[in-house]
Amino acid sequence: MSKTTYKTNYNNKNHSKNYHNTKNSTPSLSNKKNQFLNKPIYTYLILFISCLLVYFNSFNNELIYNWDDSGYIIKNPYIDSLSWQNIKDIFSNFYFSNYQPLTLIVYAVIFKFVGTKVFLYHFVQFIVHVLNTFLVYKFISLLQEKKWISIGVALLFAVHPMHVESVAWISEMKDVLYTFFFLLALITYHHFVNKPDKKTKWYIWTIFLFILSLLSKPSAVIFSVVLLAMDLYYERLWRWKTWIEKIPFFLLSLAFGIITILAQEEAIQELGPVLKAYERALIVIYSYILYFWKFFLPINLSAAYPYPIKDGGVLPTEYFIIPIAFIALCIIVYLLRKNKKFIWGILFFTINLLMVIQIIPVGGMIASERYTYIPYIGLSFSALTLMEKYIKNIKLNYIILGIVVVIFTFLAHQRTYYWRNGDVLFSDVLEKYPRYAYGYNNRGFLYWDHYAIDVYKDNPQMKEKYVEKALQDFTKAISLDYSYAEPFLNRGILYYNTGRPEQALADFNRFLELKPDNPDGLLNRANTLSTLGKFNEAIPDYNKYLSTKDDDPKAYMWRGVAYFNIQNYDSAIIDFNKSIEIDPDYYEPYYWLGVIYYNQHNYDNALKYLDLSISKNSNNVNSYIWKGLCYMNMNDYHKAIEQYSKAIEIDPNNITAYINRFNAYRLIGDVANTQKDFEILQKFQQ
């Protein structure tokens, strides 16, 4: 059979059927492979298994407590219920410097079933990643006809080590979710362009999916620009209708862009290093080349890529060398400018990075691995189309692709181990960047706020170990960057809670020098001054704090205590009542009102508020002691003894309760019980 005849028969279904049914014909190995890959179920099975090989070990990774996971899952006020009020709040508020209501809804649904248990969060994120991999395969299949390229791009998306951050980190649920709708919107847009019938339907679907992507993560605003790249690929960019149909997309991008700027205003204003214009340009170029290079050689990965330290006021040498690589890349792109597929892939990669290569400087990092999740689709497409063009042997292409996928799978799987908890993750960051002050502060916060305060709160030896580790990390962060405010706040909180208020005050003073109006600093310094008995100095800090946080019941209560201690009872009563108004179930303001009325000899009112305090918290020993004192002053010694006995029942080592009960027994002439309490008090003295 001639080559021409074979080709004709292959493309004719009836002839092909006759050909393959010929008795003596034997399918080649290549045909068997094609038959296997031509069955979608097998293709999707390969993609699923590839994803699973990377991530199966990550489903029980802990929350990264010291890097957003605590805020999104443990302390998130919007996900504790699926009430209509919560849903309304989710859609009408920023959270964590983002507007991402759809992602928060997903968290809320999962939280309803499992609370803070991690497995379901990881599993849902993994499933969405698998679906995204399927969509990448579908999308690339629509762009071109080479099956191996579609599978190759999808496989590289599934197993690339730079994508582990997006899939293994629960806080990046938004990344996989917005990508899901982003890819669906690209597919519906392809149908809109290429299917003449039902264009309106596909156009509406594209807008709808774009909106869902925007509601999942603000990064989706770049979609409208990506559509222009798609139009360039479809050779329809320079038609006026093409631009008219983009108006709704750009309006949505503009609206959500403004929302994003408002949500991230603080992050933009708090940029760390101050750089000259040419240095900023060098960092942008470095960031772009870093993302490009890590696609081909994903080693020495890190959860953080901090801004460079300018020793001697100069950027490191590599920042001046990297532009040479950038120029070389530009030359290569120019030389290959007639290769439409290659150019489109580079353009797709570049457009999707525009918002994250520090052109608009946000945060303290020059790069983050999660930002490659969508862009690497374009780079994979460019790389494989070049292989198709210059390596004519399809088997060799499969071999090269297979080797790369196996290596990337291994590297990505290894990378998931670094995401098993915040300690491992940031210890790895600090191993790579030992002069990174933020990393030490972050890890110190984990050691203090999670391990010392929560995990090992009932294990004195382990608690002390993590207190010391936290102190070392905070101190190291301060030694590396004395202008970095947060470690002063965190170390001050540690000092305060470990009985070192003088050292805490020094740290809070320094923190407020760097951030004069910070509410956390004001409140912590006010409480520290109160602890040191400096109530007149504490009250101005309370006032300043409450001028911006006027819904904090504890702050009103603490200021009330300060007023109480300078005997400004009228102001104290106002604050305690305000605290009760905000939170009627908070027991302490009732207690302090009882104490104030006792000092004013209004024992009936004192008993009333002490009883209210006990109704909110029946284990507060001091409430019973003050009730006993009220009854003592009312000469009702038997009731006083009853209250002191309740206090002792709760706290058998409370000396004050024994002393007061001893006096009450003595006053009613109960010699036996007086003697018993006296003997107990003697033992305390011993």
Side-chain angles (χ1 to χ4, degrees):
M1 181 177 289
S2 69
K3 183 177 179 181
T4 304
T5 306
Y6 172 79
K7 188 172 182 179
T8 302
N9 286 338
Y10 181 81
N11 289 323
N12 184 289
K13 290 184 179 180
N14 294 327
H15 288 181
S16 179
K17 183 176 178 181
N18 293 336
Y19 173 79
H20 287 297
N21 286 338
T22 302
K23 185 175 181 179
N24 294 325
S25 66
T26 304
S28 66
L29 180 62
S30 177
N31 283 338
K32 287 181 178 179
K33 184 188 295 183
N34 287 335
Q35 290 172 19
F36 179 80
L37 293 178
N38 281 332
K39 294 182 179 180
I41 186 64
Y42 294 130
T43 300
Y44 291 125
L45 183 61
I46 290 171
L47 296 176
F48 173 78
I49 291 172
S50 299
C51 293
L52 190 62
L53 287 173
V54 172
Y55 294 105
F56 73 88
N57 190 61
S58 67
F59 295 159
N60 287 309
N61 283 359
E62 298 174 21
L63 293 171
I64 307 299
Y65 183 90
N66 50 327
W67 207 24
D68 291 1
D69 279 0
S70 175
Y72 276 119
I73 307 302
I74 298 175
K75 301 175 182 178
N76 190 338
Y78 298 123
I79 70 169
D80 56 3
S81 79
L82 277 171
S83 66
W84 283 113
Q85 183 59 47
N86 261 20
I87 293 172
K88 178 183 174 183
D89 290 341
I90 284 172
F91 277 91
S92 57
N93 289 282
F94 301 140
Y95 188 68
F96 253 40
S97 299
N98 272 305
Y99 184 66
Q100 48 195 348
L102 203 55
T103 301
L104 295 184
I105 293 292
V106 172
Y107 284 141
V109 171
I110 299 174
F111 189 89
K112 181 176 179 62
F113 289 102
V114 300
T116 61
K117 295 178 182 177
V118 296
F119 178 86
L120 190 57
Y121 294 95
H122 283 303
F123 184 72
V124 169
Q125 205 156 329
F126 167 76
I127 292 299
V128 180
H129 175 62
V130 171
L131 294 175
N132 288 341
T133 303
F134 294 168
L135 291 174
V136 168
Y137 168 73
K138 177 66 175 176
F139 174 56
I140 300 301
S141 297
L142 293 172
L143 291 183
Q144 54 81 54
E145 297 177 349
K146 300 291 183 180
K147 177 76 71 172
W148 82 273
I149 291 180
S150 301
I151 294 174
V153 173
L155 281 172
L156 291 173
F157 179 87
V159 305
H160 203 288
M162 290 283 280
H163 291 170
V164 171
E165 183 172 304
S166 294
V167 184
W169 184 19
I170 289 174
S171 290
E172 281 309 303
M173 179 75 76
K174 56 184 176 288
D175 213 20
V176 296
L177 197 61
Y178 105 90
T179 299
F180 176 73
F181 296 114
F182 195 101
L183 291 169
L184 279 174
L186 287 176
I187 291 169
T188 58
Y189 186 74
H190 173 88
H191 293 325
F192 163 73
V193 171
N194 293 283
K195 292 187 175 183
D197 58 327
K198 300 182 180 178
K199 289 180 76 70
T200 302
K201 180 188 80 170
W202 293 118
Y203 185 74
I204 293 172
W205 267 111
T206 304
I207 292 176
F208 176 67
L209 291 165
F210 177 37
I211 292 171
L212 293 180
S213 188
L214 288 166
L215 293 172
S216 301
K217 187 177 181 180
S219 299
V221 295
I222 203 66
F223 180 80
S224 53
V225 183
V226 172
L227 289 186
L228 296 179
M230 299 298 299
D231 290 326
L232 181 65
Y233 187 82
Y234 298 135
E235 300 178 0
R236 64 189 296 271
L237 179 62
W238 305 115
R239 304 173 189 174
W240 67 270
K241 287 185 179 180
T242 297
W243 290 84
I244 294 295
E245 71 196 18
K246 297 301 178 300
I247 291 175
F249 296 97
F250 277 99
L251 288 176
L252 284 167
S253 290
L254 177 62
F256 276 83
I258 292 170
I259 290 171
T260 301
I261 290 171
L262 292 174
Q264 297 189 346
E265 182 178 4
E266 185 176 347
I268 295 172
Q269 290 177 342
E270 290 185 350
L271 201 91
V274 177
L275 300 167
K276 299 173 184 176
Y278 82 89
E279 292 174 326
R280 174 66 60 195
L282 289 175
I283 285 177
V284 170
I285 293 170
Y286 185 93
S287 176
Y288 182 83
I289 293 298
L290 176 67
Y291 286 124
F292 184 86
W293 179 249
K294 291 286 185 182
F295 172 78
F296 297 99
L297 198 64
I299 58 174
N300 294 322
L301 302 187
S302 174
Y305 295 85
Y307 270 80
I309 295 172
K310 296 168 63 178
D311 290 323
V314 181
L315 288 174
T317 304
E318 59 264 29
Y319 282 80
F320 295 93
I321 296 174
I322 283 294
I324 298 172
F326 181 74
I327 292 169
L329 177 61
C330 291
I331 292 171
I332 292 171
V333 171
Y334 177 78
L335 293 174
L336 295 170
R337 65 189 182 281
K338 293 184 180 180
N339 187 327
K340 183 176 79 170
K341 293 178 180 179
F342 171 80
I343 292 298
W344 179 85
I346 292 294
L347 197 58
F348 187 91
F349 168 72
T350 304
I351 289 171
N352 281 290
L353 282 178
L354 285 177
M355 295 180 61
V356 296
I357 55 175
Q358 298 303 304
I359 295 173
I360 300 175
V362 178
M365 300 183 195
I366 61 168
S368 295
E369 290 167 11
R370 60 188 177 275
Y371 295 148
T372 68
Y373 195 62
I374 286 180
Y376 275 4
I377 297 171
L379 212 48
S380 300
F381 187 69
S382 291
L384 296 186
T385 54
L386 285 185
M387 286 174 61
E388 172 74 18
K389 180 176 177 63
Y390 293 106
I391 303 176
K392 304 296 184 181
N393 189 325
I394 186 66
K395 289 183 180 179
L396 183 56
N397 281 330
Y398 271 115
I399 290 170
I400 294 171
L401 176 63
I403 291 171
V404 170
V405 168
V406 168
I407 293 172
F408 280 11
T409 300
F410 174 77
L411 292 174
H413 180 74
Q414 291 298 110
R415 186 68 191 155
T416 64
Y417 287 93
Y418 289 96
W419 287 89
R420 64 183 179 270
N421 61 54
D423 190 3
V424 174
L425 186 67
F426 271 85
S427 294
D428 176 65
V429 170
L430 290 170
E431 184 178 334
K432 295 180 172 73
Y433 299 98
R435 298 168 66 187
Y436 188 31
Y438 173 84
Y440 285 103
N441 179 65
N442 188 294
R443 189 176 66 178
F445 176 78
L446 174 72
Y447 290 154
W448 164 251
D449 199 64
H450 184 52
Y451 289 121
I453 296 299
D454 186 16
V455 176
Y456 296 114
K457 62 183 177 182
D458 298 322
N459 185 331
Q461 186 176 357
M462 290 299 293
K463 179 174 181 175
E464 181 59 32
K465 172 186 173 182
Y466 278 100
V467 167
E468 186 59 32
K469 285 163 73 77
L471 182 58
Q472 289 175 2
D473 274 358
F474 294 145
T475 303
K476 180 68 174 178
I478 290 168
S479 70
L480 287 169
D481 186 356
Y482 194 69
S483 65
Y484 180 28
E486 274 63 28
F488 285 103
L489 176 65
N490 288 329
R491 191 175 69 173
I493 292 170
L494 184 152
Y495 279 143
Y496 179 83
N497 285 280
T498 54
R500 291 171 273 188
E502 293 285 359
Q503 290 166 284
L505 181 60
D507 276 353
F508 293 140
N509 285 337
R510 174 58 182 166
F511 176 77
L512 287 167
E513 286 176 15
L514 297 167
K515 292 190 173 184
D517 298 320
N518 183 275
D520 291 334
L522 290 167
L523 186 60
N524 278 288
R525 186 171 70 177
N527 286 342
T528 304
L529 288 167
S530 289
T531 299
L532 292 168
K534 301 178 180 181
F535 301 107
N536 284 308
E537 294 178 44
I539 288 170
D541 278 351
Y542 285 127
N543 293 342
K544 199 170 182 180
Y545 172 84
L546 285 167
S547 68
T548 57
K549 301 282 187 178
D550 60 356
D551 59 348
D552 186 341
K554 289 188 177 181
Y556 282 107
M557 193 276 297
W558 288 326
R559 188 175 68 177
V561 172
Y563 280 131
F564 169 82
N565 279 281
I566 61 173
Q567 298 183 354
N568 185 345
Y569 294 145
D570 290 340
S571 294
I573 289 170
I574 291 171
D575 274 354
F576 293 141
N577 282 321
K578 181 65 175 179
S579 178
I580 291 168
E581 178 187 328
I582 297 170
D583 184 2
D585 294 324
Y586 183 35
Y587 80 94
E588 284 200 63
Y590 297 104
Y591 165 78
W592 283 105
L593 283 170
V595 175
I596 285 178
Y597 286 122
Y598 172 85
N599 284 335
Q600 293 179 334
H601 310 295
N602 187 343
Y603 302 121
D604 289 332
N605 257 352
L607 288 170
K608 169 188 169 183
Y609 281 102
L610 289 169
D611 281 335
L612 285 169
S613 177
I614 290 170
S615 72
K616 310 298 180 184
N617 179 8
S618 59
N619 292 317
N620 181 27
V621 171
N622 289 328
S623 295
Y624 297 104
I625 293 174
W626 282 102
K627 281 188 69 178
L629 291 171
C630 287
Y631 286 124
M632 289 282 284
N633 282 277
M634 296 168 73
N635 298 321
D636 194 339
Y637 302 119
H638 289 91
K639 285 187 177 179
I641 290 168
E642 181 182 335
Q643 297 304 313
Y644 297 140
S645 297
K646 286 181 180 178
I648 291 168
E649 183 181 337
I650 296 169
D651 181 8
N653 296 313
N654 192 294
I655 297 177
T656 302
Y658 279 110
I659 290 172
N660 283 309
R661 192 174 70 174
F662 164 79
N663 286 326
Y665 279 135
R666 185 174 57 81
L667 287 169
I668 64 173
D670 189 336
V671 177
N673 281 314
T674 301
Q675 183 63 29
K676 286 180 182 179
D677 279 356
F678 179 75
E679 290 172 358
I680 292 171
L681 288 168
Q682 281 187 317
K683 290 180 182 178
F684 279 126
Q685 290 179 346
Q686 294 173 358

